[in-house]
Amino acid sequence: MTYIDFYFNVENKFNKIHEILEKEIFRKRKIHISVSDLNGAELLSDFLYTASLTSFLPHMIGNHEERTPVHIDWEHKPLSDDFMVNLKPDIPSSFSRYLRLIEIVSNDEEDKKKARDRLKFYRDRGYEIKLIDATKEI
């Protein structure tokens, strides 16, 4: 069964993704980041290239290279079933094939509303969900 983590009260989604990726790449995870479109993929990719002067997070837009640990895609052509980060406002069509799903929710009211709908969907189907308040993380 898919384990789902909801990070809420996130000030900056890209910073939170960077933090998660640093941990999960170290653990040898294959990560799919689901974005809405090519523009969103390019914005995230640019951020990941410039976010840290001391580390590099190897990633690809699309699914061209299986050995790259992070794939950013909007069409959802998964290469693994390990780990997914959802940045789309809707429920990913094949989220249940993953061992773990991460939802990141900002302080924006519209983002919160859509996240509540996704949370209800997952709960109604019996998924184990962990709620993580990003303002209280150390």
Side-chain angles (χ1 to χ4, degrees), residues 12-69:
N12 182 309
K13 287 186 177 189
F14 284 4
N15 284 339
K16 178 53 70 181
I17 288 170
H18 187 273
E19 178 185 314
I20 291 167
L21 291 179
E22 281 189 318
K23 289 183 218 172
E24 299 306 326
I25 287 174
F26 179 75
R27 294 178 181 147
K28 307 277 189 232
R29 304 267 194 232
K30 289 281 194 176
I31 303 157
H32 172 83
I33 303 175
S34 182
V35 295
S36 295
D37 54 25
L38 175 60
N39 184 53
E42 290 173 340
L43 287 172
L44 178 56
S45 178
D46 290 347
F47 175 83
L48 293 176
Y49 276 119
T50 60
S52 175
L53 296 175
T54 59
S55 68
F56 171 70
L57 300 175
H59 64 278
M60 292 280 300
I61 293 177
N63 61 351
H64 307 293
E65 176 59 57
E66 290 185 25
R67 288 175 272 154
T68 303

Side-chain angles (χ1 to χ4, degrees), residues 74-107:
W74 59 97
E75 295 177 332
H76 196 76
K77 299 172 188 165
L79 294 173
S80 78
D81 56 2
D82 199 15
F83 199 99
M84 174 189 237
V85 177
N86 182 34
L87 289 181
K88 289 184 176 183
D90 53 349
I91 295 161
S93 60
S94 60
F95 76 91
S96 62
R97 70 171 280 160
Y98 290 90
L99 298 174
R100 188 163 173 214
L101 170 66
I102 301 286
E103 293 275 359
I104 301 176
V105 185
S106 71
N107 292 319

Side-chain angles (χ1 to χ4, degrees), residues 101-118:
L101 170 66
I102 301 286
E103 293 275 359
I104 301 176
V105 185
S106 71
N107 292 319
D108 176 74
E109 289 304 317
E110 186 63 24
D111 194 32
K112 287 181 187 179
K113 179 188 176 305
K114 290 179 179 181
R116 284 185 204 107
D117 292 341
R118 293 191 309 273

